[in-house]
Amino acid sequence: MMLNLVRLMMLYALCHLAHAGDGFWNGKPWDKAELEAGVERGDIAALTEWAQWSADSWGGVSYDGEMIRERLKLAHEKGDTLATALYAHCLWSCVGGDRDAEQAVKLAFESAMSEQPYGYYLMSEIFSSRLVETEQVQPSYEMASDWLEKAVAAGVVNAIYRKAYNVYSGEGGYDKDADLGAEMLIEVFNKYHHITAAQVITYDAKEECFNDKLLLLAALDRCNEGVKLERPISQAFMGQIHGLKGVWVKGAPMIYSSLDREHQPFPLHINLALSYGGLFSGKYGSKADYITLEYLARESFANGSRSSYVAGNASSACIVPHDKAMPRDLELAKKISYEYLDGESRFYRLTDLGQLHSFADEPDYYDPVLAEALLLYSCEFHNYRYHVRNAVALLAKLHFDAAEEDRDYRKAYVLNQWLHKKSGWNMYLKGMKACKKKMSASELAEAEDLLDRGYPWADEFRRPAWNYLRSQKIIDESWPYEKEDIE
């Protein structure tokens, strides 16, 4: 229903292309003296133009999130459709305050219906995002690309950049063509001095497609300009670059500084990665305690960061938080897990679903049959021994701690035995002993028989789980049964 409405909106808008005034949005920024005079007069169009300069470190204007939001809100209330779209973007990206996805979507629709080109671009961003907070729209790459192409045709610079990046990375429903995408990114940067294009070029500087030294110096200079003008995204990005090079004395202060005034998605994401000690370098080992990490993950996700890295940590923090004062949020964890079943971390999300359906004290979510199937199937596909053990340990806990009528000490015994053999940890030896106390001699014999038959890895156990998940439409035919089936 919602998608059909949007299509009707687009057909209407195609017949009535907007003719918005030129400005920073289409690569034709105002004369600085004219802008300053307009801001001094309180001119609505000037306030909207200034907000764009401040947000993207243009013309020497320092970043001021609160002022950006305040001026755009004023211009929006005065009927400026460009300001409406830009204000929606503030609400979407936590510029100058908290995230409000519901209101952002509402205003984006309003702006698009007013034939505002930047509204078309924002619609493309919305339809390509994972919106667990609102049911107003459902993600659709088809819809996102339709709106994006329309915004590109209208000359929206951010849309031109987004299309270039989508082609470069193969995101947003576009086929990946790194060489063509790189050419497009370079053109966007050279023509518009686009600051986000500069970040991509700087981050991927070692790629052959960006091997022009003058280009790299110009891109780096643009990124540093954002840092000097206190743009949080630029501070977090350059902090990340210095961190990846091991220069933490410069990188860490930039990352922390990016969060001093407001908590935008990207800086929060980088701060979370820094706290985990990885920062995308393939290294592991937390630099912070679990409670801090969980709060960072949940805040980062709540403020709009949608990487699978953030989502996975937020989901886990919602299921079993280490801080007893932090309540479970199984509904959010469930939404996150289902939303990310199409990504690279989909088997981890199945494990999360298995865990959240394991709690006997949560009757609205408790489903031991589904939980067992999820954990039985997913444990085969984890790439790290820790995560395999974690899935098996959750399965053992399910069988030991389930509602009394659902407990199966035989299976819990076998799983603890496997875990002890693989890890050597005494906690699993204690688990075996606890199960043994609960079992009769015949049940112990049955447990040994389960072990001989290869529980939980044997086909007789995993295949029914796989079939059950397909029958429940948790997974479809694209999900492999054997790990070697994964390309």
Side-chain angles (χ1 to χ4, degrees), residues 53 66-67 93 142 149 211 232 270-271 357 421 453 485:
W53 287 36
E66 290 184 5
M67 186 67 73
S93 303
E142 181 183 3
E149 292 294 340
N211 62 1
I270 296 300
N271 191 42
H357 287 302
K421 181 179 179 180
R453 287 155 53 196
D485 291 342

Side-chain angles (χ1 to χ4, degrees), residues 357 366-376 398 406 465 468-469:
H357 287 302
Y366 178 61
D367 188 337
V369 175
L370 178 58
E372 181 179 25
L374 287 161
L375 295 169
L376 269 173
L398 165 68
D406 299 319
Y468 180 74
L469 294 178

Side-chain angles (χ1 to χ4, degrees), residues 35-304:
L35 174 64
E36 290 174 343
V39 170
E40 185 70 23
R41 294 193 308 269
D43 178 74
I44 294 302
L47 296 180
T48 301
E49 179 75 0
W50 177 91
Q52 297 171 79
W53 287 36
S54 179
D56 278 7
S57 301
W58 190 262
V61 177
S62 295
Y63 182 89
D64 188 331
E66 290 184 5
M67 186 67 73
I68 290 170
R69 181 178 285 212
E70 179 182 318
R71 288 180 169 177
L72 288 175
K73 183 179 180 183
L74 174 63
H76 154 65
E77 291 172 345
K78 294 291 185 180
D80 187 306
T81 60
L82 175 59
T84 298
L86 294 169
Y87 179 53
H89 214 160
C90 287
L91 299 175
W92 181 261
S93 303
C94 305
V95 174
D98 294 335
R99 177 175 168 86
D100 188 340
E102 290 273 3
Q103 182 69 356
V105 171
K106 176 179 178 295
L107 293 179
F109 272 87
E110 179 182 319
S111 178
M113 282 293 285
S114 299
E115 305 170 48
Q116 168 51 241
Y118 200 90
Y120 305 155
Y121 162 67
L122 188 53
M123 292 296 291
S124 74
E125 292 290 290
I126 287 170
F127 275 102
S128 62
S129 183
R130 300 177 186 273
L131 280 172
V132 300
E133 309 100 322
T134 175
E135 296 181 359
Q136 293 186 79
V137 294
Q138 294 299 315
S140 167
Y141 285 147
E142 181 183 3
M143 294 300 302
S145 60
D146 285 348
W147 281 109
L148 186 60
E149 292 294 340
K150 184 170 169 52
V152 169
V156 180
V157 174
N158 278 347
I160 297 170
Y161 157 75
R162 175 60 67 185
K163 181 177 180 179
Y165 182 77
N166 285 349
V167 173
Y168 177 68
S169 62
E171 295 183 10
Y174 286 76
D175 293 331
K176 182 175 182 177
D177 187 333
D179 290 335
L180 175 60
E183 289 178 13
M184 295 167 69
L185 285 168
I186 292 169
E187 182 179 358
V188 172
F189 174 67
N190 285 335
K191 186 173 182 179
Y192 303 110
H193 219 44
H194 195 274
I195 194 165
T196 314
Q199 291 179 187
V200 176
I201 293 168
T202 301
Y203 189 83
D204 285 348
K206 293 182 180 179
E207 298 295 326
E208 188 175 346
C209 51
F210 298 129
N211 62 1
D212 185 317
K213 187 174 182 180
L214 291 178
L215 168 71
L216 294 175
L217 288 173
L220 181 61
D221 184 62
R222 183 73 174 102
C223 293
N224 282 323
E225 183 180 18
V227 174
K228 291 175 184 176
L229 294 174
E230 299 184 317
R231 180 173 180 260
I233 293 175
S234 297
Q235 292 173 324
F237 173 75
M238 286 308 299
Q240 176 192 17
I241 293 297
H242 289 304
L244 290 172
K245 292 180 179 179
V247 189
W248 290 109
V249 67
K250 292 182 68 175
M254 288 184 180
I255 293 172
Y256 294 135
S257 178
S258 70
L259 296 171
D260 277 350
R261 287 169 296 170
E262 57 190 40
H263 287 185
Q264 293 185 31
F266 180 74
L268 276 167
H269 184 172
I270 296 300
N271 191 42
L272 176 64
L274 172 62
S275 299
Y276 265 102
L279 208 57
F280 315 120
S281 62
K283 298 178 181 178
Y284 295 87
S286 172
K287 302 292 184 184
D289 62 274
Y290 283 118
I291 292 175
T292 299
L293 294 170
E294 287 175 347
Y295 274 101
L296 283 171
R298 287 178 70 158
E299 182 182 18
S300 184
F301 190 84
N303 284 33

